[in-house]
Structures are given as C-alpha cells and as structure tokens.
Amino acid sequence: MGYAVVLGEALVDLLDAEYDGQPVYRQAIGGGPLNVAVAVARLGGDVQFVGSLGDDALAARIRAFLGAAGVGLAGAVTVPAPTALAVATFAGPEPDFRFYGEPRSYALLTADDLDVALVEGADVLYCGSIVLLDPPVRAAARRAWSIAGALRVFDPNVRPRLLGRPGALERLREVVAEFAASAHLVKLSTADAELLYPREPVEGVAAYLRELGAGTVVVTLGAAGALVAAGPDVVRIPAPKVRAVDATGAGDSVMGALIAELLVDGEPTDPAGWQQRVAFALRVAGLVCESPGGAVAMPTRADLARRFPS
C-alpha cells in the first residue's frame, strides 16, 4: 500500500452552540481537504496533507490534531498569517459557511512551496475545494496535477459565499473543467452540480464531466445516496438508513473513503467495482452523519463493522 497526497485547505470552524443559556461558538478543526485526509487516515490509509498553515496558536492546534490523527505534514508550510476562520450556521443538518481572515492562511501555498518528490511518489493525489479560487494555490495544484504519476482525484467542493466577485463562477467552471478532464475520479455534491451547471440534471452533469475526460464521476445526493458514472450508464446507489444529526464532513468522508480504497486495491476495473466502492463510502458517510462535528466524526473500519455488521 502506497500513500495519498491531499492538497487543499485547513482552517478552524466556529460552530453554533449554546453555553449556560447563551449562544456561543464552538471551535472545530476543519476544511474540506483536511476532513478528507483525516478520513483516509482513520480508514487505515497513509496520507500526507499539503497546504499552508498560519503561524498562530490555532495553526499549532491544527498541526497537533492532524498528527494525532495519523496524517503526515511533510508537505505543509507555515505562513505569516492568522488562521482563517469559517463561521458555520445551521438551518438544518447542512451547514452554511462564511469565511473570515485576510490574508487567508490556507491560500498562501505557492508552486515553489510544493514538495515535488512527495507528490511524485504518491499513489493518489487529491486536489480541489476552495483553494482553487486563489491563484497561488491554483498554480501549486496545477503543478502537482502535472507531475503526479498517481491516480488523480478531484472535488470542486463549492462554497457559494466565496463566489461573490464578478466572474468568479465562470472562472470556477473553467477550473473544474480543467481538472476534471484528466481526473481518474471526480466527486461532487448535488449542491455543487446545481451551482456550477444550473438547470442541468445531475445525471447530465455526470455525463458531461465524463465527456470532458473524467474516468469516473460520483455525485452525492445526501440521504438519497449517490450517482455513479463509470461506464455507459449512470447508476444510483442507495444510502444506508441512519439517524442523522450533523452532515458536516459527510461529503468529505465519501471522498476519503474512496481514496482509502484506491490505496488498498487500486482503480476498479469495471463499473461494478466502482459501485461497490461507493456503497462502502456511503456507509462511512452515514456513520459520520450520526455524530456531531466533521473531522472528529470520521470512523475507523472497526467502527463501520460494528455499525453495519452485514
């Protein structure tokens, strides 16, 4: 078994909470790619996080959290900036994020910062999420993408609150098309698909990304499961029945589970193999939804065996 490189952001989430009858914010280590890396590690995979971290006490907590989770930090760099914050509010199980901090600590990785040997040696390379909106990190991701001899996986992980600038959505569509065209796997959510390609059914979005060149496309549908486009047909995989309390990190756990399986068995040779992998990933996500928090809710394989013994 080799290792995966996850390139993206790490930050601190501030989550709605209550203390002594008063509204407060609860700190949680977050960032979609960080969640992915932790999910891979919890499922037994060897994974390295590549990104920029601030120079404050919150960044030290992020490093300590990743280290305790078994995530390597050889490709992480320290930058002179306070750790970015994502304030999350809930109208239901899905969080709404607003981002704070300038300069954004997660957006300061450059192409020159990239550990080329680390990327070249990886068996799986993940790129995606909000860092691709920032030119320096986008350049680093492009460099990693071009030199990786690995399986390349991509997740746009769109955050609408960051698309307020004129032309931002159009530029993001271009970036998604660029990375998807040479990805072995693209994972996106229904919300991603609806924002990027409004009025297009999710089956059409999956087919379009495959036409661009993506090997396999997985679209998560929340409690309805996921779509898998790995052959001529788009197949729906149902989600397990769970008692959802918090969907934070569920989509990231699907990505992490798929990467963990790629590290164990490589790329499936037929659509049925991908469908089995996605069914496994949906069980991981279901278990994440039954616990509050994102990265802290990522399960182990033993946790899965207990929860889904069949």
Side-chain angles (χ1 to χ4, degrees), residues 20-306:
D20 198 20
Q22 298 297 317
V24 296
Y25 283 113
R26 176 172 59 84
Q27 282 186 29
I29 306 299
L34 177 143
N35 292 339
V36 170
V38 172
V40 175
R42 293 278 288 168
L43 291 168
D46 188 353
V47 58
Q48 294 283 336
F49 177 80
V50 172
S52 56
L53 300 174
D55 59 356
D56 56 6
L58 292 180
R61 291 177 193 171
I62 292 173
R63 286 182 175 274
F65 178 84
L66 287 172
V71 176
L73 287 160
V77 300
T78 299
V79 294
T83 296
L85 303 175
V87 177
T89 52
F90 291 84
E94 290 285 349
D96 173 44
F97 290 100
R98 292 201 179 210
F99 296 84
Y100 297 86
E102 289 292 342
R104 290 184 291 279
S105 58
Y106 60 74
L108 299 176
L109 182 80
T110 69
D112 290 338
D113 293 325
L114 203 65
D115 186 328
V116 172
L118 185 73
V119 174
E120 286 180 330
D123 290 77
V124 180
L125 170 66
Y126 163 104
C127 289
S129 201
I130 62 176
V131 293
L132 296 183
L133 295 171
D134 290 275
V137 199
R138 187 161 65 241
R142 281 177 171 145
R143 186 181 186 196
W145 206 250
S146 68
I147 64 178
L151 294 170
R152 294 181 296 274
V153 302
F154 175 68
D155 180 356
N157 195 26
V158 181
R159 291 288 180 249
R161 297 290 187 185
L162 295 175
L163 296 175
R165 295 189 292 269
L169 182 56
E170 289 73 17
R171 286 193 294 274
L172 179 59
R173 283 197 194 102
E174 293 171 0
V175 171
V176 169
E178 173 190 346
F179 280 84
S182 54
H184 295 84
L185 169 66
V186 176
K187 195 284 295 180
L188 68 163
S189 68
T190 305
D192 294 335
E194 290 174 348
L195 184 67
L196 288 165
Y197 312 105
R199 296 177 297 280
E200 183 72 32
V202 288
E203 292 87 353
V205 172
Y208 166 68
L209 294 174
R210 289 205 74 219
E211 287 170 9
L212 288 178
T216 296
V217 178
V218 175
V219 185
T220 56
L221 309 172
L227 295 178
V228 185
D233 300 317
V234 178
V235 177
R236 282 182 178 257
I237 307 297
K241 296 276 192 257
V242 298
R243 300 175 296 276
V245 297
D246 184 357
T248 305
D252 302 326
S253 74
V254 169
M255 186 87 264
L258 293 173
I259 291 173
E261 291 294 277
L262 288 172
L263 288 175
V264 172
D265 290 320
E267 192 174 16
T269 57
D270 57 27
W274 274 113
Q275 293 159 27
Q276 291 168 3
R277 299 278 182 91
V278 172
F280 167 76
L282 290 176
R283 291 194 292 275
V284 174
L287 197 46
V288 168
C289 288
E290 290 190 329
S291 300
V296 295
M298 298 300 167
T300 65
R301 291 183 187 269
D303 295 330
L304 286 168
R306 285 190 294 272

